[in-house]
Amino acid sequence: MGAIGTQQAAPLKSLEELRRIGEAGPQNEFVKEWKARGEKVVGWLCTYVPEEIIHAAGMLPVRVMGEVGEAKEAEAYLYANTCFFARSCLEVGLKGGYDFLDLLVAGNTCDPIRRLYDVWRHYLSTPTHILSIPHKLSDQGMDFFRGQLQEFQRVIEGIREQPLPEGALRDSIALYNRSRKLLREIYDLRQADPPPLSGAEALEVVRAGWSMPRGRYIELLEELREELK
């Protein structure tokens, strides 16, 4: 646990905490405490969804994920050959696992996600929004996506019932970039032989960040980086 090598290594405290949060997913204590305070939680389905805009509005971004196992109920709404990720996410949603969301945001990135979004919008009570993603890198594509992000910000501000605070988006971008930098440093440490963190453990570290406040996530990443060193 926490290292690969010929000797048994002591468990890394920060890794154990990240693993516990990641395994709990959207049902972890951070999400529950957030909702108990009456704060907003926004679920996202695609990495093209800018968490920074959600965070800048004082809301908690949470990645919508499925669960290991069958998705029999979801197959009544999605074809059996639809990717299991989409079917599993819908399965959890149909069973009420995401009833706490104040908004679900998807990206128009692939057929399964688009179909999942359409079914969710029609059959579940969560308000929804979708971002159209340009498929070519060009000036026109950038202008189009900028418009999509501005529209998304207006949706978030509508839920918030007021504009984003001055400078909040800039601060959120800096915070998220800080977490990305720390993840890169942790990935770089895995180049050692033997690596101090396995691939499966690295995935657990990333997964934890999908459903917890970014400030606390950064603290744990900083602790993990030092422990790994």
Side-chain angles (χ1 to χ4, degrees):
M1 294 172 61
I4 297 175
T6 56
Q7 297 181 343
Q8 181 68 33
L12 301 178
K13 182 180 178 181
S14 57
L15 179 60
E16 292 300 303
E17 178 72 2
L18 289 163
R19 176 183 288 122
R20 183 185 63 79
I21 295 168
E23 288 176 349
Q27 304 302 323
N28 68 56
E29 68 269 25
F30 294 107
V31 179
K32 291 179 179 179
E33 291 171 4
W34 198 275
K35 289 297 294 185
R37 296 197 303 268
E39 305 289 348
K40 305 291 186 183
V41 178
V42 177
W44 56 275
L45 271 168
C46 174
T47 54
Y48 285 98
V49 175
E51 295 178 76
E52 292 88 339
I53 293 178
I54 302 169
H55 179 274
M59 303 177 190
L60 181 64
V62 169
R63 182 161 196 177
V64 171
M65 296 178 286
E67 296 177 346
V68 176
E70 297 181 333
K72 291 185 176 180
E73 189 172 350
E75 288 181 4
Y77 300 86
L78 295 172
Y79 293 118
N81 61 356
T82 302
C83 78
F84 182 74
F85 174 74
R87 286 184 285 125
S88 182
C89 288
L90 181 60
E91 184 79 7
V92 177
L94 290 169
K95 292 179 178 179
Y98 288 106
D99 286 352
F100 62 88
L101 293 181
D102 297 282
L103 180 71
L104 173 78
V105 188
N108 194 12
T109 53
C110 65
D111 289 344
I113 292 298
R114 178 65 209 217
R115 181 59 179 159
L116 168 61
Y117 171 80
D118 289 338
V119 171
W120 200 297
R121 180 165 59 94
H122 283 289
Y123 293 101
L124 298 177
S125 60
T126 311
T128 58
H129 180 74
I130 192 164
L131 289 167
S132 291
I133 311 299
H135 289 236
K136 292 184 178 180
L137 183 60
S138 65
D139 291 340
Q140 294 87 349
M142 293 294 287
D143 289 340
F144 172 78
F145 193 48
R146 184 179 297 109
Q148 289 288 299
L149 297 181
Q150 290 169 342
E151 174 61 23
F152 177 50
Q153 180 174 328
R154 287 191 288 270
V155 169
I156 290 294
E157 290 174 335
I159 296 174
R160 191 173 185 270
E161 298 183 341
Q162 56 183 311
L164 298 185
E166 183 69 27
L169 185 55
R170 185 180 298 108
D171 293 342
S172 292
I173 291 171
L175 190 71
Y176 273 77
N177 283 344
R178 171 63 179 161
S179 66
R180 294 180 183 110
K181 182 175 184 294
L182 285 166
L183 282 173
R184 171 53 60 189
E185 292 175 5
I186 290 170
Y187 290 165
D188 289 344
L189 290 173
R190 293 192 63 245
Q191 297 181 40
D193 186 15
L197 195 72
S198 72
E201 289 168 335
L203 177 59
E204 291 173 336
V205 171
V206 173
R207 184 174 63 170
W210 292 341
S211 55
M212 65 183 298
R214 188 59 38 159
R216 178 56 183 152
Y217 185 51
I218 287 174
E219 291 174 355
L220 287 171
L221 290 180
E222 290 173 339
E223 291 175 19
L224 178 61
R225 179 190 59 184
E226 296 310 310
E227 288 183 303
L228 292 175
K229 286 182 178 180

